[in-house]
């Protein structure tokens, strides 16, 4: 999948990573980028088409697919951190985390898959986390593990229509979402997005976009082959 002359839709486009996906897609020659988000943002490039989208609203997802029928790359970037305990915090907030991090991107793929097929196959980029493989208290890590499983199944189902499905994994990134975390190493958003888009254009199915994630994934590979330790 090459980004030159592509039409990209990025969810969560006004966040730190989202804005970087928009900018770098344009820098690689995208003809148009739909910047989908719940709030407005002043985009200075005429190739950017703002799209109001709450990813957990089925009607909004349907409207987005109707408005952006020329999409060739869908970037499922929107997500939330969620409550920090599965036992002590409100069940509605836990459900909302799964709605946002798992069911919303699935709904978007379901809505856009026929359009991607009609436009030549295209690609889906699902933004995961190193927490897809590391258990942690709260709803975030388990929702990302579930989303990783959904992506793997979608990759098999979309293969027949020629749609590339890329799962992107990384640890902490210096964005407003984790601004309160002061004592952890954070990658620069531009570096993470560059690695993800490099992998997309190389035809990859997964990308481990920082050293921490590469290390964790290598450890898991060792567990499955009996080579760890």
């Amino acid at each position: 999948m090459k980004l030159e002359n592509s039409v990209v839709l990025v969810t969560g486009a006004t966040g730190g990573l989202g804005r970087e996906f928009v900018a770098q897609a344009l820098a690689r020659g995208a003809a148009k980028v739909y910047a989908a988000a719940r709030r407005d943002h002043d985009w200075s490039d005429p190739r950017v088409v703002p799209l109001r989208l709450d990813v957990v609203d089925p009607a909004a997802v349907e409207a987005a697919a109707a408005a952006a029928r020329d999409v060739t790359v869908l970037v499922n970037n929107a997500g939330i951190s969620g409550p920090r305990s599965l036992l002590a915090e409100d069940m509605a907030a836990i459900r909302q985390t799964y709605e946002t991090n798992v069911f919303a991107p699935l709904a978007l793929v379901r809505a856009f898959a026929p359009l991607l097929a009609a436009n030549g196959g295209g690609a889906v980029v699902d933004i995961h986390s190193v927490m897809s493989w590391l258990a942690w208290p709260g709803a975030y890590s388990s929702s990302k593990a579930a989303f990783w499983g959904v992506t793997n199944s979608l990759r098999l189902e979309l293969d027949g229509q020629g749609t590339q499905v890329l799962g992107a994994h990384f640890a902490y990134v210096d964005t407003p979402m984790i601004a309160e975390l002061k004592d952890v190493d954070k990658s620069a958003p531009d570096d993470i997005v560059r690695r993800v888009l490099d992998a997309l254009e190389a035809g990859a199915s997964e990308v481990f976009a920082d050293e921490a994630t590469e290390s964790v994934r290598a450890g898991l590979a060792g567990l499955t082959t009996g080579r760890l330790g």
Side-chain angles (χ1 to χ4, degrees):
M1 179 70 212
K2 298 301 181 184
L3 286 166
E4 186 173 2
N5 297 320
S6 64
V7 178
V8 182
L9 188 147
V10 180
T11 67
T14 58
L17 274 177
R19 291 196 302 272
E20 197 63 43
F21 272 112
V22 172
Q24 290 198 31
L26 293 173
R28 292 178 186 236
K32 182 192 299 183
V33 177
Y34 291 99
R38 291 182 300 173
R39 60 181 183 271
D40 295 330
H41 183 76
D42 185 17
W43 302 98
S44 59
D45 194 306
R47 293 172 294 173
V48 179
V49 179
L51 196 63
R52 184 65 67 89
L53 175 62
D54 183 345
V55 296
V56 299
D57 180 351
V61 171
E62 182 178 342
R69 301 188 63 82
D70 52 348
V71 163
T72 59
V73 180
L74 169 65
V75 181
N76 275 318
N77 170 67
I80 58 175
S81 57
R84 297 184 179 182
S85 172
L86 292 174
L87 296 177
E89 299 205 38
D90 185 63
M91 192 66 185
I94 294 169
R95 291 183 185 277
Q96 183 71 10
T97 304
Y98 275 78
E99 287 291 342
T100 305
N101 292 354
V102 183
F103 295 112
L106 173 58
L108 279 154
V109 174
R110 286 167 59 96
F112 279 91
L115 303 179
L116 294 174
N119 295 331
V124 173
V125 180
D126 284 345
I127 302 304
H128 298 302
S129 168
V130 70
M131 291 297 182
S132 301
W133 312 305
L134 296 175
W136 198 258
Y140 181 78
S141 67
S142 59
S143 72
K144 284 297 185 179
F147 185 25
W148 179 48
V150 166
T151 296
N152 292 336
S153 294
L154 286 172
R155 185 178 297 112
L156 298 176
E157 293 199 35
L158 291 172
D159 181 66
Q161 69 174 45
T163 299
Q164 177 187 353
V165 178
L166 173 65
H169 302 264
F170 41 83
Y172 295 119
V173 183
D174 191 9
T175 66
M177 183 176 175
I178 61 165
E180 75 279 4
L181 299 179
K182 305 297 185 183
D183 299 321
V184 297
D185 293 331
K186 300 177 185 179
S187 298
D190 61 334
D191 185 50
I192 293 296
V193 171
R194 175 182 57 78
R195 293 185 182 209
V196 172
L197 296 184
D198 282 349
L200 174 67
E201 294 199 306
S205 59
E206 283 196 310
V207 55
F208 316 128
D210 56 25
E211 291 183 5
T213 305
E214 287 178 349
S215 177
V216 170
R217 193 67 177 92
L220 290 175
L223 280 173
T224 59
T225 60
R227 296 175 183 172
L228 190 66

